Amino acid sequence: MIKAAPASARRTMADRTPPPAGGRFVLGRRASLLVSAGVVSHTLWTSAAPALTYGLYAREWHLTHTVTAGIFAIYPISVVVMLVGFGGISDQIGRRATMLAGLFASLVGALLFAVAPDVWWVFAGRALMGIGVGLAASPSTAAILEFSSPERAKSAALVTMGAQAIGFAAGLLLGGALTQYGPWPTRLCFWVLALYLIVLLIGTWLLPRHTPGGAGGDWRSLMPSVPNDVRRSFAVSSTAVVAAYMFGVLVLSLGGQVAHDLIGSPNAFLNSAVLSLFPIVMGATGIVARTLSSRVALIVGALISCSGMVLLILAVNLRDLVIYLLATAAAGGAYSLLFVGGLQMIGTAAPEHNRGGILAALYLLGYLSMGALALVLGAAATTHGLGFAVDLGAAAIILMNVSTLVLAMTAPFKAHSTTPTST
């Protein structure tokens, strides 16, 4: 679990931040925590936003499965590029500045989607969204931990996962409703997302400023890094997060088309409601996950994940909606357990002064696996059919969960003493 340092060693963000020059208004700790959680939520909202429009793009612009999978894959690939080049930058310039840059890139990407006249604008918008998430994901996660009060530090992983669930569900349900019942079915949901990003930009601007160099960082490298003494813990956490993020390909890249085939309904909102079972169960399971040790959460999550993937294979091959709903629910619960367990472990082990770089490395592996799997499954769906692609993806996730299970059962869990830093 994420452990709180003694109260004498921990001070709130407001205590550690010098008074703003010129009387600039600064949010308090609780409001700052809420804004940081909002930034985390946007990382899953932007990922889910186009999930129900891929089919519309395919029909309007006559796109193949490979092209629509490419639209999805350019997002995690862009995230990976940013994490490789700038994964540790928030340890140097601060969480606030890095989140502002990420939110601005995501906003421009959403606006490109909102006005896109052809598929190339969509690719550009998706790439910019990936750049934004690549910049904002790790600093917003670190900020949640650092803005958490000492007595609630153990809940930081749950807050992060809960924010992801809210963003995921909002992207699916709101996107499905606006696509089905609103005007401009391929545009309106992105205008709403853009408005949300503007609100987050304002809130992030009001976060406490970071003093450059205050985190004790080193400008020699902005790349994500993992110190030697936490690499074993990182190995366990990263396999769990990779397994969890690979669900995103089956839910977001192929999920809309799978649900459409199983339900036989052209109603985008109904299809989005089916897919939203994933984040809903994900959020509910998080309440249980916080009570478990990291090891137990990872073991249970890996077992549930394997069961869910077996159910998914059966659902697609039997074209059974009930089994598909069970598989989606199992995947949501498994994501929660794997993500919370992995984040709690690395949050406990990570030293404060390069926490941003360690979290960036964690997200890098997750998004890299997501992008690679999306491209492989898109090509497989085009050449061998959607059913074969789902079977292949489920098999890959099962393999990753077996690795998580073995590591979680054998690796020692090590705690690292941490104290919060200014953001």
Side-chain angles (χ1 to χ4, degrees):
M1 302 290 284
I2 296 177
K3 295 187 177 180
S8 60
R10 294 196 59 174
R11 289 179 287 175
T12 65
M13 299 303 305
D15 293 334
R16 295 176 63 90
T17 305
R24 186 180 76 88
F25 176 77
V26 175
L27 295 176
R29 179 185 55 77
R30 291 184 179 178
S32 297
L33 177 62
L34 181 63
V35 170
S36 300
V39 178
V40 168
S41 73
H42 111 276
T43 63
L44 269 289
W45 189 331
T46 55
S47 182
L52 278 303
T53 59
Y54 289 133
L56 299 179
Y57 293 142
R59 289 192 291 273
E60 182 178 350
W61 295 325
H62 309 291
L63 307 179
T64 66
H65 284 304
T66 302
V67 176
T68 56
I71 297 173
F72 176 86
I74 194 67
Y75 169 82
I77 289 172
S78 299
V79 173
V80 167
V81 170
M82 296 309 297
L83 289 173
V84 168
F86 302 97
I89 194 173
S90 74
D91 289 328
Q92 314 299 331
I93 67 173
R95 318 297 186 215
R96 173 183 174 273
T98 311
M99 287 190 287
L100 283 171
L103 289 169
F104 181 76
S106 293
L107 174 60
V108 176
L111 292 174
L112 286 178
F113 264 93
V115 300
D118 57 49
V119 71
W120 297 112
W121 284 59
V122 169
F123 270 107
R126 201 65 176 144
L128 281 168
M129 285 181 175
I131 290 171
V133 170
L135 287 171
S138 59
S140 58
T141 303
I144 286 177
L145 178 62
E146 292 159 3
F147 281 124
S148 296
S149 59
E151 65 274 10
R152 299 198 64 187
K154 292 182 179 181
S155 299
L158 176 62
V159 172
T160 303
M161 193 280 306
Q164 289 187 340
I166 291 172
F168 205 155
L172 288 172
L173 291 173
L174 190 59
L178 294 176
T179 299
Q180 182 63 39
Y181 302 114
W184 321 311
T186 59
R187 303 179 188 277
L188 184 57
C189 61
F190 297 105
W191 285 112
V192 174
L193 173 59
L195 179 62
Y196 179 61
L197 290 169
I198 290 172
V199 172
L200 287 179
L201 274 166
I202 295 171
T204 304
W205 180 264
L206 298 176
L207 291 178
R209 290 186 183 273
H210 169 81
T211 302
D218 186 346
W219 279 98
R220 288 175 297 179
S221 175
L222 299 179
M223 296 178 65
S225 60
V226 181
N228 291 334
D229 60 341
V230 299
R231 286 185 178 176
R232 180 166 294 187
S233 296
F234 180 82
V236 185
S237 298
S238 61
T239 56
V241 169
V242 165
Y245 269 55
M246 288 168 75
F247 289 135
V249 181
L250 296 181
V251 175
L252 297 177
S253 178
L254 301 177
Q257 297 169 74
V258 171
H260 178 277
D261 290 348
L262 290 175
I263 299 171
S265 168
N267 188 298
F269 180 66
L270 177 60
N271 295 341
S272 71
V274 171
L275 295 179
S276 69
L277 186 62
F278 180 95
I280 290 171
V281 175
M282 182 175 98
T285 306
I287 299 174
V288 177
R290 65 172 295 188
T291 66
L292 303 176
S293 68
S294 299
R295 189 189 302 274
V296 172
L298 293 176
I299 291 172
V300 175
L303 292 173
I304 293 176
S305 175
C306 290
S307 301
M309 292 303 97
V310 171
L311 289 173
L312 180 61
I313 293 172
L314 290 174
V316 172
N317 285 278
L318 298 176
R319 299 180 63 85
D320 190 300
L321 178 59
V322 174
I323 299 178
Y324 182 74
L325 292 173
L326 291 174
T328 303
Y335 180 102
S336 181
L337 291 164
L338 291 169
F339 184 82
V340 171
L343 194 59
Q344 284 178 341
M345 176 182 289
I346 202 64
T348 300
E352 174 200 3
H353 60 273
N354 57 355
R355 182 181 292 145
I358 293 172
L359 290 171
L362 191 68
Y363 281 119
L364 186 152
L365 293 176
Y367 281 104
L368 181 63
S369 63
M370 185 189 293
L373 186 62
L375 290 174
V376 170
L377 297 189
T382 299
T383 57
H384 300 290
L386 190 59
F388 176 81
V390 172
D391 291 348
L392 184 62
I397 292 174
I398 290 173
L399 181 61
M400 185 57 62
N401 277 286
V402 170
S403 300
T404 301
L405 188 62
V406 171
L407 288 173
M409 293 176 67
T410 59
F413 285 24
K414 177 182 177 182
H416 195 292
S417 175
T418 62
T419 56
T421 184
S422 57
T423 299

